[in-house]
Amino acid sequence: MTTASALEFETVIGMEVHAHLLTRSKMFCPCPLPSLDSPPNTDVCPICLGMPGVLPVINKRAVELTIMTGLALDCQIAEHARFDRKNYHYPDLMKGYQISEYDEPLCRNGRLEVEVDGGKRGIGVTRVHLEEDVAKLYHVTNPAGESYSLVDVNRSGVPLMEIVSEPDIRTPEEARAYLVELRRILRYIGASRANMEEGNMRCEPNVSVRPRGSSELGTKVELKNINSFRHVYDAIKFEVERQVGVLRSGGRIVQETRGWRPGTGEAVPQRSKEYANDYRYFPEPDLPPLAISRDWVEEIRSRMPELPAAKRERFQARYGLSPYDVNLLTESRARADFFEAAVALVAEERQRAKAVANWVNGDFAALLNAQNVEIEDAKVTPQHLSELIDLIEAGTITGAAAKAVFLETFAGGRAPREVVEERGLAQIIAGDEIASAVDRVVAANPKAVEDYRGGKQEAIKFLVGQVMRETRGRSDPNTARELLERKLGGAAS
Amino acid sequence: MPLTRDEVQHIAKLARLGLSEDDIARFQEQLSSILDYFQALRRVDTENVPPTSHTLPLQNVMREDDPRPPFEKETVLANAPQREDDCFRVRAVLEE
């Protein structure tokens, strides 16, 4: 049944993304941007409070970040742009209108390439425009049973960029890939923190289905209240199945907005804002229009860093790494930079790249993740990692000791060589010290020795482990193994 | 061509205005005469005139991204008709 429906219907998804821009002040007033823990109504002035008679002034940096986003998405950058008023009444909208861009957005006709299961597809970007965010509402029911809302104006006037895609997305996987890549780009160019959980990146997929082969669009449903990549995927999947179910049972899809409920795994109809489609846009009289010179655009382009897709390609070509490694390394610009800095410290870059990648994507990433630290804030430097790998390759320390050293460098920022010396972790080269440890281990573990002699090859691994433990990781495991085999081998035959 | 009652009521609703029956009749007439004036403007030949959104010869009026201290919270909340803790309190809005 599911297979049959997948054959007969095609999913069509368009994505609207809103992202807070990483400016220092608000869109139209000099208030600082609120942080996640700003107390209510403390980053507010008469302009973002919507008092009568105040005048907004455009934040130049916000315009530049929007243009840079447009460039990163292969958009055409408008020569003329203009702000408009979008009129509606709602308690989170202080002025009774939102300043936005209606028919002259800063960027149009872009494209973002996404990769799903090795296949690449271009998703059209209809437009990127600039607007302001609204205040935050808290819905309250007090012990007396009264229901009301509380307004925190901090978020009012925060620069907000809207990125609208063409209805080119065909699967929940593609929708997720689009958002992941978009987030990566926004972070690379420093346009936004783009964190869905923190609410500074929000997405609203428009979902419809149509008979496969049809070129007409079905009735679309807009999904809201999605605040993680997991939810995007789950919500779209749910909605597609629901729509296919409705159509199969002879029903019709109603155009509406549905809110995702992660608890029950359903998207349920939301009461929409009244007359929501009657916004009566008109040009914002308080803001003179923008004329965007090509010189300015080129100047912004010249400040743009290497984008994720270009970096992935370069990393594969230059360092000969697998797509898997490269994907992880280029997850953030800081991680990619760390990798390149560590690799660049040695002459044989290509040989070293794999070892550095393994550390950066492995132990290092795991520690950063577990302790919730960003790589740029870590105490480990590219020099440290390079030095550690030198120590391993020179045979000075074992892999096991290296992990311990890395932990210590991670915790305290001390150079690996220093840690090795201080803690006496340098590998015991002297075979006789290992040999005496082997003697002690053999004496202490008669059962394992007997198993091994009885033909159970696996038992040797346990014994090697015991030798490593006995020498606090300072033995070369291969030497330990050889010595063990020699000692036990004679008796086994 | 006078505006219909429904049109006036729709406009009033968008502006969150409550109108009496007399108001509706009066605004039907007044708003209609405003629209008639636009009908007069429509007769002007604008074939070669680009649409004008602003009358002042200004463009690219922007400020640098420099934050300045916001207002004191008490000043911000001073005009709140209703206040609870440090927030404005408003009638319940139901979105979900």
Side-chain angles (χ1 to χ4, degrees):
Chain A
M1 170 113 184
T2 322
T3 334
S5 71
L7 282 175
E8 287 173 44
F9 286 96
E10 176 179 55
T11 303
V12 177
I13 304 163
M15 193 73 79
E16 261 180 43
V17 172
H18 285 90
H20 281 166
L21 291 174
L22 259 180
T23 53
R24 297 164 63 221
S25 64
K26 288 189 180 180
M27 187 60 229
F28 299 115
C29 64
C31 282
L33 294 195
S35 64
L36 284 177
D37 47 8
S38 291
N41 295 308
T42 54
D43 292 311
V44 178
C45 76
I47 296 176
C48 50
L49 201 52
M51 300 301 278
V54 297
L55 276 179
V57 186
I58 298 166
N59 182 335
K60 187 177 177 192
R61 176 85 184 139
V63 175
E64 290 183 339
L65 289 173
T66 304
I67 291 174
M68 195 182 277
T69 302
L71 291 173
L73 296 173
D74 269 329
C75 289
Q76 292 158 3
I77 309 302
E79 303 210 10
H80 298 279
R82 190 190 67 214
F83 286 96
D84 301 277
R85 288 188 182 181
K86 178 181 183 179
N87 300 280
Y88 64 95
H89 286 282
Y90 209 68
D92 61 9
L93 188 65
M94 308 315 287
K95 302 187 291 297
Y97 57 86
Q98 179 191 33
I99 304 180
S100 180
E101 291 180 286
Y102 182 51
D103 54 0
E104 290 195 50
L106 280 162
C107 324
R108 285 183 208 262
N109 295 334
R111 185 174 180 278
L112 178 61
E113 193 167 77
V114 299
E115 192 172 335
V116 175
D117 296 332
K120 287 184 183 170
R121 280 195 65 225
I123 307 297
V125 173
T126 316
R127 57 187 279 157
V128 181
H129 77 250
L130 191 49
E131 57 190 33
E132 55 178 339
D133 207 351
V134 298
K136 206 166 182 172
L137 294 177
Y138 298 94
H139 306 290
V140 182
T141 304
N142 69 10
E146 295 173 287
S147 276
Y148 50 90
S149 299
L150 296 176
V151 189
D152 171 7
V153 186
N154 281 348
R155 203 179 61 188
S156 167
V158 168
L160 194 62
M161 182 169 64
E162 180 172 326
I163 302 158
V164 183
S165 90
E166 291 289 303
D168 288 345
I169 301 169
R170 291 289 170 269
T171 63
E173 289 81 2
E174 262 179 31
R176 186 167 55 190
Y178 172 84
L179 290 170
V180 168
E181 186 68 2
L182 183 59
R183 177 181 68 171
R184 208 176 278 145
I185 289 172
L186 295 179
R187 289 180 174 177
Y188 262 60
I189 64 175
S192 176
R193 287 173 59 81
N195 187 322
M196 290 183 78
E197 286 80 1
E198 288 176 3
N200 45 45
M201 173 164 157
R202 309 193 281 262
C203 76
E204 283 147 24
N206 288 306
V207 180
S208 63
V209 298
R210 64 183 173 195
R212 193 166 290 281
S214 161
S215 56
E216 269 169 60
L217 292 172
T219 306
K220 70 182 177 185
V221 168
E222 183 174 327
L223 298 175
K224 291 201 175 204
N225 189 34
I226 291 172
N227 52 19
S228 76
F229 289 120
R230 172 91 229 161
H231 292 174
V232 175
Y233 180 85
D234 289 347
I236 293 176
K237 204 159 181 291
F238 167 86
E239 181 56 21
V240 169
E241 278 163 22
R242 187 189 71 83
Q243 290 187 15
V244 169
V246 169
L247 294 174
R248 289 184 159 274
S249 58
R252 287 180 49 242
I253 304 300
V254 184
Q255 180 159 355
E256 61 185 345
T257 300
R258 286 179 165 248
W260 175 243
R261 299 278 167 84
T264 57
E266 286 178 308
V268 299
Q270 275 187 333
R271 254 181 60 154
S272 54
K273 294 178 186 177
E274 259 176 308
Y275 296 103
N277 293 321
D278 202 345
Y279 290 130
R280 295 149 293 145
Y281 283 96
F282 63 85
E284 167 58 85
D286 290 342
L287 296 171
L290 297 173
I292 297 151
S293 76
R294 299 303 96 178
D295 285 352
W296 192 23
V297 173
E298 287 317 306
E299 191 268 320
I300 293 168
R301 193 195 301 276
S302 73
R303 279 190 270 141
M304 195 156 71
E306 185 180 34
L307 295 172
K311 209 182 267 296
R312 287 195 293 264
E313 231 167 79
R314 185 170 63 81
F315 274 25
Q316 275 191 47
R318 174 159 181 183
Y319 302 112
L321 294 167
S322 70
Y324 176 81
D325 279 334
V326 166
N327 250 326
L328 289 175
L329 286 174
T330 54
E331 184 55 47
S332 75
R333 212 171 126 191
R335 185 187 284 197
D337 288 350
F338 188 101
F339 164 80
E340 287 210 284
V343 170
L345 290 169
V346 294
E348 357 22 87
E349 279 186 353
R350 246 183 117 97
Q351 289 93 303
R352 179 55 69 87
K354 180 65 186 161
V356 175
N358 286 347
W359 278 98
V360 171
N361 292 335
D363 286 48
F364 195 12
L367 280 169
L368 290 168
N369 208 15
Q371 307 203 7
N372 206 12
V373 177
E374 299 295 328
I375 196 163
E376 53 267 51
D377 302 326
K379 291 179 179 148
V380 179
T381 64
Q383 288 75 10
H384 289 153
L385 181 55
S386 180
E387 186 178 304
L388 183 69
I389 295 172
D390 283 339
L391 288 167
I392 303 166
E393 285 182 359
T396 312
I397 55 173
T398 62
K403 279 175 187 282
V405 173
F406 188 81
L407 254 176
E408 189 142 342
T409 302
F410 182 86
R414 286 171 50 237
R417 206 173 287 281
E418 221 178 285
V419 177
V420 167
E421 277 165 25
E422 186 188 284
R423 296 192 36 197
L425 288 168
Q427 193 157 277
I428 303 158
I429 306 297
D432 55 1
E433 203 173 329
I434 302 177
S436 69
V438 164
D439 289 344
R440 288 197 297 280
V441 165
V442 168
N445 296 282
K447 172 82 170 71
V449 168
E450 198 181 309
D451 285 351
Y452 177 73
R453 286 186 168 141
K456 207 171 151 198
Q457 294 292 323
E458 287 296 293
I460 196 85
K461 281 189 192 156
F462 169 77
L463 292 168
V464 170
Q466 292 303 305
V467 174
M468 297 304 291
R469 211 173 124 179
E470 189 69 22
T471 56
R472 291 187 296 133
R474 294 186 300 160
S475 301
D476 170 28
N478 292 328
T479 313
R481 192 186 177 108
E482 266 171 44
L483 289 172
L484 274 166
E485 282 170 349
R486 206 178 304 155
K487 186 167 175 72
L488 303 178
S493 55
Chain B
M1 175 68 173
L3 263 77
T4 65
R5 282 178 50 84
D6 283 353
E7 283 167 331
V8 171
Q9 276 180 313
H10 176 68
I11 293 164
K13 191 156 188 180
L14 288 171
R16 295 296 186 272
L17 294 174
L19 299 186
S20 67
E21 282 302 314
D22 287 353
D23 288 335
I24 294 173
R26 188 164 71 250
F27 286 128
Q28 259 182 284
E29 204 175 297
Q30 289 189 356
L31 292 173
S32 298
S33 72
I34 293 171
L35 287 181
D36 287 346
Y37 177 65
F38 279 92
Q39 290 300 323
L41 284 178
R42 215 175 223 182
R43 289 195 295 271
V44 180
D45 178 13
T46 56
E47 186 67 39
N48 296 309
V49 183
T52 306
S53 62
H54 295 78
T55 50
L56 295 174
L58 287 175
Q59 55 188 26
N60 295 349
V61 179
M62 288 181 269
R63 46 170 251 277
E64 293 302 320
D65 181 28
D66 295 323
R68 285 214 302 266
F71 271 43
E72 287 297 322
K73 184 179 67 195
E74 290 308 315
T75 314
V76 167
L77 289 160
N79 291 324
Q82 269 195 296
R83 171 179 175 173
E84 184 166 304
D85 300 326
D86 290 332
C87 287
F88 295 87
R89 178 174 160 169
V90 297
R91 273 186 303 177
V93 281
L94 298 168
E95 203 179 339
E96 292 179 274

